């Protein structure tokens, strides 16, 4: 578009210059059209000048030949001279030469005037000769400007279309940005959901372990109830062993004591484990 605009300015400048030149040529058309007439007058004046100069030269020669009053052609006295009241042939030739010289001087002045006028209008005539060329050049500039106008209009339509496309692309970029943000949020949410799934599995496992611990505790509590009088029985057995002083019985009694003691320790451990499991479940 910038290139076409620069071309348009250049061609428009040339067109204005051509139109100005044509206007000046038309303005001085009348002067330019005088040149042929002036040239004809100049040629006529030249012919007349050549003729007068020839006459004067002839008069000068005849005057020289008429010395002594003799006719330069018949070489005898001229009778017509006296009839015309002229004193001598010399004076006659002097008179006619004076007239022709006066006419020649006037003719030279007219010819100089015509020559000056010719020089003045010659540039207009030369410009008038180029008028057809200037008109063709002007018309070519006008035609070129018309083509540039069509091309510029096409480029303007393309620019408007491209601007619309760029606006659409900006909207698409914005949509892409929003979609990417939503995708990132979705990925984060998916990762969190996957993490929650693992946590749910851990919770489920802990709950299952807690249920198992509850069952064991219930069993141990039942056993504890069953063994509720074990301490009294143990004391009673120890007293009986001391009274009997029976080594085999003492050994059996000691085994029973260790058995009941181990059961009690196991129950205590299970109760602590159950408490720890419940604490972990609460935290999750």
């Amino acid at each position: 578009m910038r290139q076409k605009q620069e071309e348009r300015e250049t061609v428009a400048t040339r067109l204005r210059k051509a139109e100005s030149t044509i206007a000046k040529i038309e303005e001085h058309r009348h002067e330019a059209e005088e040149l042929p007439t002036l040239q004809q007058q100049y040629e006529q004046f030249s012919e007349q000048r050549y003729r007068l100069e020839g006459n004067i030269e002839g008069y000068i020669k005849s005057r020289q030949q008429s010395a002594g009053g003799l006719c330069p052609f018949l070489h005898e006295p001229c009778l017509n001279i006296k009839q015309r009241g002229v004193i001598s042939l010399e004076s006659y030739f002097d008179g006619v030469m004076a007239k022709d010289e006066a006419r020649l001087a006037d003719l030279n002045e007219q010819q100089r005037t015509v020559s000056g006028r010719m020089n003045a209008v010659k540039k207009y005539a030369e410009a008038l000769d180029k008028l057809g060329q200037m008109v063709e050049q002007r018309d070519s500039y006008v035609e070129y400007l018309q083509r540039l106008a069509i091309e510029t209009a096409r480029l303007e339509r393309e620019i408007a279309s491209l601007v619309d496309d760029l606006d659409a692309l900006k909207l698409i970029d914005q949509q892409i940005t929003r979609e990417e943000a939503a995708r990132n949020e979705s990925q984060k949410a998916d990762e969190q959901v996957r993490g929650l799934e693992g946590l749910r599995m851990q919770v489920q496992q802990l709950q299952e372990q807690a249920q198992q611990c509850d069952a064991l505790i219930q069993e141990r509590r039942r056993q504890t109830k069953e063994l509720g009088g074990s301490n009294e029985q143990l004391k009673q057995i120890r007293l009986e062993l001391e009274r009997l002083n029976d080594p085999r019985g003492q050994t059996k009694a000691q085994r029973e004591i260790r058995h009941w003691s181990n059961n009690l320790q196991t129950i205590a451990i299970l109760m602590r484990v159950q408490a720890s499991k419940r604490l972990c479940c609460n935290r999750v």
Side-chain angles (χ1 to χ4, degrees):
M1 175 63 76
R2 285 194 298 269
Q3 180 181 0
K4 295 301 179 183
Q5 289 175 348
E6 290 174 359
E7 290 182 6
R8 182 176 61 185
E9 291 298 327
T10 301
V11 176
T13 300
R14 294 176 180 176
L15 175 61
R16 288 192 294 270
K17 184 177 179 180
E19 290 177 342
S20 176
T21 302
I22 292 172
K24 289 179 180 179
I25 292 173
E26 292 294 343
E27 181 181 356
H28 297 281
R29 174 185 284 273
H30 180 70
E31 290 93 328
E33 291 176 348
E34 292 181 12
L35 184 61
T37 302
L38 293 172
Q39 289 176 338
Q40 184 177 3
Q41 290 178 355
Y42 187 85
E43 292 175 357
Q44 291 175 355
F45 289 149
S46 296
E47 292 177 359
Q48 293 176 11
R49 182 170 57 82
Y50 294 148
R51 186 169 56 254
L52 288 174
E53 289 175 349
N55 291 339
I56 292 172
E57 290 178 357
Y59 293 148
I60 293 173
K61 185 178 179 180
S62 297
R63 186 179 182 287
Q64 292 174 351
Q65 293 177 351
S66 63
L70 297 177
C71 177
F73 304 106
L74 299 175
H75 301 287
E76 61 182 18
C78 182
L79 300 177
N80 294 326
I81 294 300
K82 293 181 178 181
Q83 294 177 358
R84 294 181 179 180
V86 180
I87 300 174
S88 63
L89 287 173
E90 289 87 347
S91 62
Y92 169 77
F93 288 122
D94 289 339
V96 293
M97 280 193 302
K99 292 180 180 179
D100 286 349
E101 286 175 351
R103 292 176 58 190
L104 180 61
D106 183 60
L107 186 63
N108 287 333
E109 181 65 24
Q110 292 179 5
Q111 193 173 28
R112 281 193 296 271
T113 302
V114 171
S115 177
R117 183 60 179 173
M118 287 174 59
N119 292 330
V121 303
K122 186 176 182 180
K123 57 182 180 181
Y124 301 132
E126 292 175 351
L128 184 62
D129 292 338
K130 298 178 180 179
L131 179 61
Q133 180 181 355
M134 294 300 300
V135 170
E136 291 180 0
Q137 196 173 48
R138 179 200 61 187
D139 295 341
S140 67
Y141 290 150
V142 171
E143 183 180 356
Y144 190 73
L145 284 176
Q146 291 174 349
R147 291 198 302 269
L148 284 177
I150 295 173
E151 186 68 14
T152 301
R154 182 185 65 81
L155 290 174
E156 288 176 349
R157 291 193 298 271
E158 290 184 0
I159 289 173
S161 178
L162 289 173
V163 169
D164 293 338
D165 292 341
L166 288 175
D167 292 338
L169 286 175
K170 290 178 181 178
L171 294 176
I172 292 174
D173 289 339
Q174 294 175 359
Q175 293 176 357
I176 290 173
T177 301
R178 289 195 296 269
E179 294 296 334
E180 288 179 347
R183 183 190 62 186
N184 293 333
E185 290 295 330
S186 177
Q187 289 178 349
K188 291 179 181 179
D190 184 64
E191 292 175 357
Q192 293 175 356
V193 168
R194 291 180 181 178
L196 291 175
E197 184 64 24
L199 292 175
R200 281 197 294 270
M201 293 177 65
Q202 292 179 6
V203 170
Q204 185 176 359
Q205 291 175 358
L206 292 174
Q207 288 176 350
E208 291 176 355
Q209 292 176 3
Q211 291 174 359
Q212 293 175 0
C213 290
D214 290 337
L216 290 174
I217 290 171
Q218 294 296 330
E219 179 64 24
R220 294 296 181 259
R221 284 176 179 175
R222 186 184 60 78
Q223 293 177 358
T224 302
K225 290 180 181 180
E226 292 177 356
L227 299 174
S230 297
N231 288 330
E232 295 297 330
Q233 291 178 4
L234 181 60
K235 291 178 181 180
Q236 186 65 32
I237 292 170
R238 284 178 177 176
L239 290 175
E240 290 178 358
L241 286 174
E242 289 177 356
R243 288 195 297 268
L244 294 175
N245 193 18
D246 185 0
R248 183 179 294 178
Q250 290 179 358
T251 300
K252 182 179 180 181
Q254 288 176 356
R255 284 198 300 268
E256 290 179 356
I257 289 170
R258 284 196 298 271
H259 174 72
W260 292 111
S261 178
N262 289 335
N263 288 336
L264 292 173
Q265 290 177 357
T266 300
I267 291 171
I269 291 171
L270 288 173
M271 292 180 70
R272 287 196 298 272
V273 171
Q274 177 64 16
S276 298
K277 296 294 185 180
R278 289 179 176 175
L279 180 58
C280 290
C281 291
N282 292 331
R283 290 179 178 176
V284 173

